[in-house]
Short mmCIF file of all heavy atoms in Angstrom, two decimals:
data_model
loop_
_atom_site.label_atom_id
_atom_site.label_comp_id
_atom_site.label_asym_id
_atom_site.label_seq_id
_atom_site.Cartn_x
_atom_site.Cartn_y
_atom_site.Cartn_z
N LYS X 378 -4.19 -4.32 -3.07
CA LYS X 378 -3.21 -4.60 -4.12
C LYS X 378 -1.94 -3.77 -3.90
O LYS X 378 -0.82 -4.28 -3.95
CB LYS X 378 -3.81 -4.29 -5.49
CG LYS X 378 -2.84 -4.56 -6.63
CD LYS X 378 -3.53 -4.51 -7.97
CE LYS X 378 -2.54 -4.87 -9.07
NZ LYS X 378 -3.13 -4.84 -10.40
N GLU X 379 -2.14 -2.50 -3.63
CA GLU X 379 -1.00 -1.58 -3.49
C GLU X 379 -0.11 -2.01 -2.32
O GLU X 379 1.12 -2.07 -2.44
CB GLU X 379 -1.53 -0.17 -3.26
CG GLU X 379 -0.48 0.90 -3.39
CD GLU X 379 -1.09 2.29 -3.26
OE1 GLU X 379 -2.29 2.47 -3.54
OE2 GLU X 379 -0.34 3.21 -2.88
N VAL X 380 -0.74 -2.32 -1.18
CA VAL X 380 0.04 -2.70 -0.01
C VAL X 380 0.74 -4.03 -0.25
O VAL X 380 1.92 -4.20 0.09
CB VAL X 380 -0.87 -2.80 1.24
CG1 VAL X 380 -0.08 -3.27 2.44
CG2 VAL X 380 -1.50 -1.44 1.54
N MET X 381 0.05 -4.97 -0.88
CA MET X 381 0.65 -6.28 -1.11
C MET X 381 1.85 -6.15 -2.04
O MET X 381 2.86 -6.84 -1.85
CB MET X 381 -0.40 -7.23 -1.72
CG MET X 381 0.03 -8.68 -1.69
SD MET X 381 0.24 -9.31 -0.01
CE MET X 381 1.20 -10.77 -0.29
N GLU X 382 1.77 -5.28 -3.06
CA GLU X 382 2.91 -5.06 -3.95
C GLU X 382 4.14 -4.67 -3.13
O GLU X 382 5.24 -5.17 -3.35
CB GLU X 382 2.60 -3.94 -4.96
CG GLU X 382 1.52 -4.25 -5.95
CD GLU X 382 2.04 -4.85 -7.23
OE1 GLU X 382 3.22 -5.24 -7.25
OE2 GLU X 382 1.27 -4.94 -8.21
N ALA X 383 3.91 -3.76 -2.18
CA ALA X 383 5.04 -3.29 -1.37
C ALA X 383 5.54 -4.41 -0.46
O ALA X 383 6.76 -4.59 -0.31
CB ALA X 383 4.61 -2.08 -0.54
N PHE X 384 4.62 -5.18 0.11
CA PHE X 384 5.02 -6.31 0.97
C PHE X 384 5.91 -7.28 0.20
O PHE X 384 6.92 -7.75 0.68
CB PHE X 384 3.78 -7.08 1.46
CG PHE X 384 3.09 -6.44 2.62
CD1 PHE X 384 1.89 -6.96 3.10
CD2 PHE X 384 3.62 -5.33 3.25
CE1 PHE X 384 1.25 -6.38 4.18
CE2 PHE X 384 2.98 -4.75 4.33
CZ PHE X 384 1.79 -5.28 4.78
N LEU X 385 5.48 -7.57 -1.04
CA LEU X 385 6.19 -8.57 -1.84
C LEU X 385 7.62 -8.13 -2.11
O LEU X 385 8.53 -8.95 -2.21
CB LEU X 385 5.46 -8.80 -3.16
CG LEU X 385 4.18 -9.62 -3.05
CD1 LEU X 385 3.32 -9.46 -4.28
CD2 LEU X 385 4.53 -11.08 -2.84
N LYS X 386 7.81 -6.83 -2.22
CA LYS X 386 9.16 -6.34 -2.51
C LYS X 386 10.02 -6.28 -1.27
O LYS X 386 11.21 -6.57 -1.31
CB LYS X 386 9.09 -4.98 -3.17
CG LYS X 386 9.10 -5.10 -4.68
CD LYS X 386 7.93 -4.46 -5.30
CE LYS X 386 7.53 -5.16 -6.57
NZ LYS X 386 6.21 -4.79 -6.99
N ALA X 408 -1.69 -8.69 -7.07
CA ALA X 408 -0.30 -8.31 -6.81
C ALA X 408 0.59 -9.55 -6.81
O ALA X 408 1.69 -9.54 -7.38
CB ALA X 408 -0.20 -7.59 -5.47
N PHE T 98 15.73 -2.19 -3.01
CA PHE T 98 14.59 -1.33 -3.35
C PHE T 98 14.70 -0.73 -4.75
O PHE T 98 13.73 -0.65 -5.47
CB PHE T 98 14.47 -0.21 -2.32
CG PHE T 98 13.20 0.58 -2.44
CD1 PHE T 98 12.03 0.09 -1.91
CD2 PHE T 98 13.18 1.81 -3.08
CE1 PHE T 98 10.85 0.80 -2.02
CE2 PHE T 98 12.00 2.53 -3.19
CZ PHE T 98 10.84 2.02 -2.67
N VAL T 101 15.47 -2.95 -10.56
CA VAL T 101 14.36 -3.18 -11.47
C VAL T 101 14.74 -4.36 -12.35
O VAL T 101 15.80 -4.38 -12.95
CB VAL T 101 14.10 -1.94 -12.33
CG1 VAL T 101 13.05 -2.25 -13.39
CG2 VAL T 101 13.63 -0.78 -11.47
N LEU T 108 8.76 -4.91 -16.81
CA LEU T 108 9.64 -4.45 -15.75
C LEU T 108 8.96 -4.64 -14.41
O LEU T 108 7.74 -4.49 -14.28
CB LEU T 108 9.98 -2.97 -15.96
CG LEU T 108 10.84 -2.70 -17.20
CD1 LEU T 108 11.00 -1.22 -17.41
CD2 LEU T 108 12.19 -3.37 -17.07
N TYR T 109 9.76 -4.97 -13.41
CA TYR T 109 9.21 -5.30 -12.11
C TYR T 109 10.12 -4.75 -11.03
O TYR T 109 11.33 -4.94 -11.07
CB TYR T 109 9.09 -6.82 -11.97
CG TYR T 109 8.51 -7.29 -10.66
CD1 TYR T 109 7.14 -7.33 -10.46
CD2 TYR T 109 9.34 -7.67 -9.61
CE1 TYR T 109 6.61 -7.75 -9.26
CE2 TYR T 109 8.82 -8.09 -8.40
CZ TYR T 109 7.46 -8.14 -8.23
OH TYR T 109 6.93 -8.55 -7.05
N GLY T 110 9.55 -4.03 -10.07
CA GLY T 110 10.37 -3.49 -8.98
C GLY T 110 9.62 -2.40 -8.26
O GLY T 110 8.56 -1.95 -8.71
N SER T 111 10.17 -1.98 -7.15
CA SER T 111 9.47 -0.97 -6.35
C SER T 111 9.34 0.35 -7.10
O SER T 111 8.32 1.03 -7.00
CB SER T 111 10.23 -0.74 -5.04
OG SER T 111 10.18 -1.90 -4.27
N LEU T 112 10.38 0.73 -7.85
CA LEU T 112 10.30 1.99 -8.58
C LEU T 112 9.16 1.96 -9.61
O LEU T 112 8.45 2.94 -9.79
CB LEU T 112 11.63 2.28 -9.28
CG LEU T 112 12.80 2.60 -8.35
CD1 LEU T 112 14.05 2.87 -9.15
CD2 LEU T 112 12.47 3.81 -7.48
N ILE T 113 9.02 0.81 -10.25
CA ILE T 113 7.94 0.65 -11.23
C ILE T 113 6.58 0.77 -10.51
O ILE T 113 5.64 1.40 -11.01
CB ILE T 113 8.03 -0.72 -11.94
CG1 ILE T 113 9.39 -0.86 -12.63
CG2 ILE T 113 6.90 -0.90 -12.93
CD1 ILE T 113 9.64 0.11 -13.75
N ASP T 114 6.50 0.18 -9.33
CA ASP T 114 5.27 0.27 -8.53
C ASP T 114 4.90 1.71 -8.24
O ASP T 114 3.74 2.11 -8.35
CB ASP T 114 5.44 -0.44 -7.19
CG ASP T 114 5.19 -1.93 -7.32
OD1 ASP T 114 4.89 -2.34 -8.44
OD2 ASP T 114 5.31 -2.63 -6.31
N ILE T 115 5.92 2.48 -7.83
CA ILE T 115 5.65 3.88 -7.49
C ILE T 115 5.10 4.60 -8.71
O ILE T 115 4.11 5.33 -8.61
CB ILE T 115 6.94 4.56 -6.97
CG1 ILE T 115 7.33 3.95 -5.62
CG2 ILE T 115 6.74 6.06 -6.84
CD1 ILE T 115 8.65 4.43 -5.08
N ALA T 116 5.70 4.36 -9.86
CA ALA T 116 5.23 5.01 -11.08
C ALA T 116 3.82 4.53 -11.42
O ALA T 116 2.95 5.32 -11.80
CB ALA T 116 6.18 4.73 -12.22
N ARG T 117 3.58 3.23 -11.26
CA ARG T 117 2.31 2.65 -11.67
C ARG T 117 1.17 3.10 -10.77
O ARG T 117 0.12 3.54 -11.23
CB ARG T 117 2.43 1.12 -11.62
CG ARG T 117 1.44 0.38 -12.46
CD ARG T 117 2.04 -0.94 -12.88
NE ARG T 117 2.38 -1.75 -11.72
CZ ARG T 117 1.53 -2.65 -11.20
NH1 ARG T 117 0.34 -2.81 -11.71
NH2 ARG T 117 1.90 -3.38 -10.17
N PHE T 118 1.39 2.99 -9.44
CA PHE T 118 0.32 3.39 -8.53
C PHE T 118 0.21 4.91 -8.45
O PHE T 118 -0.82 5.44 -8.07
CB PHE T 118 0.54 2.79 -7.14
CG PHE T 118 0.25 1.32 -7.08
CD1 PHE T 118 1.27 0.40 -6.94
CD2 PHE T 118 -1.05 0.87 -7.19
CE1 PHE T 118 0.99 -0.96 -6.90
CE2 PHE T 118 -1.34 -0.48 -7.16
CZ PHE T 118 -0.31 -1.40 -7.01
N GLY T 119 1.30 5.60 -8.78
CA GLY T 119 1.26 7.06 -8.75
C GLY T 119 0.63 7.64 -10.01
O GLY T 119 0.24 8.81 -10.02
N ALA T 120 0.51 6.82 -11.06
CA ALA T 120 0.03 7.34 -12.35
C ALA T 120 -1.32 8.05 -12.25
O ALA T 120 -1.46 9.18 -12.75
CB ALA T 120 0.00 6.22 -13.39
N PRO T 121 -2.34 7.44 -11.61
CA PRO T 121 -3.62 8.15 -11.54
C PRO T 121 -3.50 9.49 -10.81
O PRO T 121 -4.08 10.49 -11.23
CB PRO T 121 -4.52 7.19 -10.74
CG PRO T 121 -3.89 5.86 -10.87
CD PRO T 121 -2.42 6.10 -11.02
N TYR T 236 0.80 -3.98 -19.42
CA TYR T 236 2.12 -3.47 -19.82
C TYR T 236 2.20 -3.41 -21.33
O TYR T 236 1.57 -4.18 -22.04
CB TYR T 236 3.22 -4.40 -19.29
CG TYR T 236 3.31 -4.42 -17.80
CD1 TYR T 236 2.47 -5.23 -17.04
CD2 TYR T 236 4.21 -3.60 -17.12
CE1 TYR T 236 2.52 -5.24 -15.67
CE2 TYR T 236 4.28 -3.60 -15.75
CZ TYR T 236 3.44 -4.42 -15.03
OH TYR T 236 3.50 -4.42 -13.66
N PRO T 241 4.60 -0.17 -17.80
CA PRO T 241 3.18 -0.13 -17.40
C PRO T 241 2.42 0.82 -18.32
O PRO T 241 2.87 1.94 -18.59
CB PRO T 241 3.23 0.43 -15.98
CG PRO T 241 4.60 0.21 -15.50
CD PRO T 241 5.48 0.24 -16.71
N VAL T 244 1.54 4.31 -17.09
CA VAL T 244 2.62 5.28 -17.08
C VAL T 244 2.77 5.90 -18.47
O VAL T 244 3.01 7.11 -18.62
CB VAL T 244 3.93 4.61 -16.63
CG1 VAL T 244 5.10 5.57 -16.77
CG2 VAL T 244 3.82 4.12 -15.20
N GLN T 355 3.41 9.49 -3.57
CA GLN T 355 3.31 8.05 -3.78
C GLN T 355 4.50 7.32 -3.14
O GLN T 355 4.35 6.25 -2.56
CB GLN T 355 3.23 7.74 -5.28
CG GLN T 355 2.90 6.31 -5.60
CD GLN T 355 1.59 5.85 -4.97
OE1 GLN T 355 0.62 6.60 -4.94
NE2 GLN T 355 1.57 4.64 -4.44
N THR T 359 4.42 4.34 -0.37
CA THR T 359 5.14 3.07 -0.53
C THR T 359 6.14 2.87 0.61
O THR T 359 6.30 1.77 1.12
CB THR T 359 5.87 3.06 -1.88
OG1 THR T 359 4.94 3.38 -2.89
CG2 THR T 359 6.47 1.70 -2.16
#
Side-chain angles (χ1 to χ4, degrees):
Chain X
K378 180 169 183 180
E379 192 176 335
V380 176
M381 194 63 198
E382 294 268 13
F384 279 175
L385 285 163
K386 266 123 211 165
Chain T
F98 190 80
V101 173
L108 293 174
Y109 180 83
S111 294
L112 291 180
I113 302 295
D114 276 359
I115 293 174
R117 201 152 60 93
F118 287 109
Y236 294 83
V244 174
Q355 189 58 40
T359 308

